[in-house]
Amino acid sequence: MTPADVLKLIKEKDAKFVDLRFTDTIGKEQHVTIPTRLVDEGFFKDGKMFDGSSIAGWKDINESDMILMPDPSTAVIDPFYEETTVDLRCDVIEPMTMQGYGRDPRSLAKRAEAHLKASGIADSALFGPENEFFIFDNVTVSSSMNGCAYEVDSYEGAWNSGKTYEEGNRAHRPGVKGGYFPVPPVDSQQDIRTAMSMACEEMGLKFEVHHHEVATAGQGEINVAANTLTKKADEVQILKYALQNVAHGYGKTLTFMPKPIVGDNGNGMHVHQSLQKDGKALFAGDKYGGLSDIALYYIGGIIKHARAINAFTNASTNSYKRLVPGFEAPVKLAYSARNRSASIRIPWISNPKGRRIEVRFPDATGNPYFMFASMLLAGLDGIQNKIHPGDPADKDLYDLEPEEDKKIPTVCHSLDMALDYLDKDRGFLKAGGVFTDDLIDAYIELKMKDVTRLRMTTHPIEIEMYYSL
């Protein structure tokens, strides 16, 4: 879509407003709304000035002026606003240079794609994340100097089997680890997931499948088609926006938080990825799992740098409540065809053109632009330095002998550990000027605030374990 096409869309739909969208450092989508009378051909060259010092981890107040530069190809009618509004995704631009701001996630994603092409290895990378989520009926939280507590609730929750409801307890609900995937009425969220899928389509995403996930209490998954790096990161933001707003409209609340309930499966975001050049699938070959040497080296790079990229792919303290060794979590840095206990899986594909790998440890609390770019750069480092990942792991990695178990490396076990690895292993991220020391330092500083806040907060479990000592 060109600027002229956007202006035509505004006129045809009699749109009253344009919503300018961008993403901050931690991955939260932000917006500012302007009237359509301010939008003309020149607007797509000049953009909209805003105060960058108000965004956490960005500009100092003495150098706060920045530009939101709309991308006309992203224009879409927002289905959730009362007044007809066109959404436009924006790059954040430095006014002095008119180049992408070094800490802007979307500009960084574009630099990663440019670096990929400049490497000569491939001309595009496809990413296909699988976003898991919970739909709850009620969530309460309190945190103060003398106590803290939270509680989530869902009619589907296995803990509600004995609860008395005014309208009666219908009893059909998935048990713990029983949600994959019975038909309604046990799956009570078929219609709401369908509404979410339709909203995704309305906002330009290509819906492929939705279903209930393993956990009790309304865990679900909605997948849309793969896309190139920047576009896919845009689409993750669109999907999260669409799902959360549909849930809100139904009087429910949706979270992508990795571990909101204890004792059942958490929310991951498995990321399928592959490289292409001149229309050829570079991951297809005659090696293990139908992979090429390029694909194996890409896996080698992911494994080598996994603990550094954990800082982006598992960017919350809650992420590591899901990545706990000894449970069914993708913590082992190994690869395998069809073996879902490995952190990198090679899915079975009938057509070699679709050959890809699936990285299983990420979750959706990270910034998708940083996540995809960091994995791409790790994979490229593996290709350029021919880092072979070693032998595949076709055994059940959850049931290894202790001596064998020790030989397989794992992902990080905490956010501060991941940030420490990011600090020490940042060279591969700076290739092609994609990430900068300035961005990485600012990111670590911002995320360490999360770590410090959790470290300082007494947990109810600690009262149970230590109060009487």
Side-chain angles (χ1 to χ4, degrees):
M1 194 174 275
T2 65
D5 293 328
V6 178
L7 297 177
K8 183 180 178 182
L9 177 67
I10 290 172
K11 185 176 181 180
E12 287 180 349
K13 299 296 184 179
D14 192 24
K16 299 296 190 295
F17 299 95
V18 165
D19 211 40
L20 304 177
R21 303 287 179 94
F22 65 100
T23 298
D24 65 15
T25 300
I26 64 172
K28 184 63 179 173
E29 195 173 28
Q30 309 285 341
H31 77 136
V32 61
T33 308
I34 62 174
T36 51
R37 59 181 165 78
L38 299 181
V39 180
D40 55 19
E41 291 274 358
F43 176 72
F44 291 92
K45 297 179 181 178
D46 300 330
K48 168 69 176 174
M49 297 297 296
F50 79 109
D51 179 8
S53 67
S54 298
I55 306 300
W58 281 16
K59 287 284 192 177
D60 293 329
I61 197 165
N62 61 322
E63 49 178 20
S64 60
D65 289 340
M66 307 188 81
I67 300 171
L68 290 176
M69 189 62 70
D71 181 345
S73 70
T74 65
V76 65
I77 298 294
D78 194 300
F80 301 105
Y81 287 172
E82 190 170 323
E83 294 290 345
T84 305
T85 302
V86 175
D87 291 347
L88 283 169
R89 252 136 254 291
C90 298
D91 298 322
V92 180
I93 303 298
E94 287 273 20
M96 297 298 291
T97 64
M98 294 306 291
Q99 300 297 311
Y101 174 44
R103 298 185 189 180
D104 170 39
R106 196 167 193 268
S107 296
L108 180 142
K110 288 185 173 182
R111 292 197 297 272
E113 290 184 298
H115 173 63
L116 174 64
K117 291 180 181 179
S119 72
I121 293 170
D123 49 38
S124 68
L126 287 178
F127 290 83
E130 300 175 352
N131 295 87
E132 295 173 340
F133 52 84
F134 279 95
I135 302 172
F136 295 127
D137 293 308
N138 191 63
V139 178
T140 58
V141 59
S142 63
S143 178
S144 61
M145 65 186 298
N146 68 318
C148 63
Y150 84 95
E151 184 175 25
V152 301
D153 201 15
S154 165
Y155 178 83
E156 271 200 3
W159 56 84
N160 282 323
S161 61
K163 184 174 181 179
T164 299
Y165 289 91
E166 185 176 339
E167 68 277 13
N169 191 326
R170 305 291 186 257
H172 296 292
R173 55 175 53 85
V176 174
K177 296 185 183 295
Y180 198 83
F181 28 55
V183 298
V186 175
D187 175 6
S188 68
Q189 298 181 341
Q190 170 71 20
D191 290 338
I192 189 173
R193 290 197 310 272
T194 295
M196 291 170 178
S197 303
M198 292 171 67
C200 288
E201 284 271 336
E202 197 172 346
M203 296 194 74
L205 309 188
K206 295 179 180 178
F207 161 72
E208 291 188 337
V209 64
H210 78 70
H211 59 82
H212 203 290
E213 260 296 343
V214 173
T216 188
Q219 188 183 37
E221 181 177 311
I222 294 176
N223 292 340
V224 299
N227 213 331
T228 51
L229 193 156
T230 304
K231 290 180 179 178
K232 188 71 249 179
D234 287 347
E235 290 181 357
V236 169
Q237 300 297 71
I238 293 169
L239 180 139
K240 293 175 82 170
Y241 173 75
L243 270 55
Q244 289 181 334
N245 276 280
V246 170
H248 192 74
Y250 271 71
K252 296 181 182 290
T253 176
L254 183 148
T255 183
F256 296 92
M257 186 176 174
K259 203 69 175 175
I261 65 173
V262 179
D264 209 336
N265 285 36
N267 291 326
M269 190 182 78
H270 305 160
V271 183
H272 297 254
Q273 46 203 286
S274 60
L275 299 180
Q276 297 74 39
K277 186 174 184 179
D278 300 326
K280 180 183 177 183
L282 297 184
F283 279 10
D286 58 2
K287 299 297 192 296
Y288 176 83
L291 296 180
S292 64
D293 283 325
I294 283 179
L296 289 171
Y297 294 146
Y298 189 100
I299 290 171
I302 294 284
I303 290 175
K304 177 182 178 181
H305 299 295
R307 290 183 173 182
I309 63 179
N310 278 156
F312 299 118
T313 58
N314 308 92
S316 68
T317 57
N318 187 251
S319 297
Y320 301 89
K321 300 291 195 296
R322 168 178 168 256
L323 297 177
V324 178
F327 297 87
E328 291 184 13
V331 298
K332 290 294 186 181
L333 291 171
Y335 71 102
S336 178
R338 306 179 71 179
N339 183 351
R340 293 175 184 270
S341 65
S343 62
I344 300 175
R345 189 174 75 96
I346 300 98
W348 184 85
I349 303 294
S350 58
N351 188 342
K353 290 183 178 180
R355 190 71 63 210
R356 60 186 184 268
I357 69 165
E358 175 192 3
V359 181
R360 295 173 59 81
F361 53 78
D363 63 64
T365 55
N367 185 315
Y369 302 94
F370 293 165
M371 277 197 273
F372 301 157
S374 64
M375 285 188 282
L376 174 64
L377 290 168
L380 287 180
D381 184 62
I383 294 169
Q384 290 168 332
N385 292 290
K386 296 186 177 181
I387 302 171
H388 197 279
D391 294 332
D394 288 330
K395 292 183 179 180
D396 182 352
L397 297 177
Y398 303 140
D399 191 29
L400 295 177
E401 293 296 326
E403 288 303 314
E404 195 174 6
D405 184 67
K406 290 178 182 179
K407 296 177 182 179
I408 302 177
T410 62
V411 297
C412 290
H413 58 71
S414 65
L415 180 57
D416 52 313
M417 180 181 179
L419 294 172
D420 187 49
Y421 271 93
L422 172 61
D423 190 25
K424 295 174 181 176
D425 180 24
R426 60 172 71 189
F428 74 100
L429 294 167
K430 297 193 293 180
V434 179
F435 285 80
T436 63
D437 283 323
D438 174 69
L439 183 151
I440 293 170
D441 291 341
Y443 182 84
I444 291 173
E445 181 181 359
L446 192 64
K447 282 294 176 178
M448 275 304 298
K449 292 179 181 179
D450 293 1
V451 172
T452 300
R453 183 178 180 188
L454 187 65
R455 279 177 174 171
M456 293 175 64
T457 303
T458 301
H459 192 285
I461 292 297
E462 293 176 303
I463 299 294
E464 288 187 15
M465 292 192 295
Y466 308 127
Y467 188 80
S468 295
L469 289 180

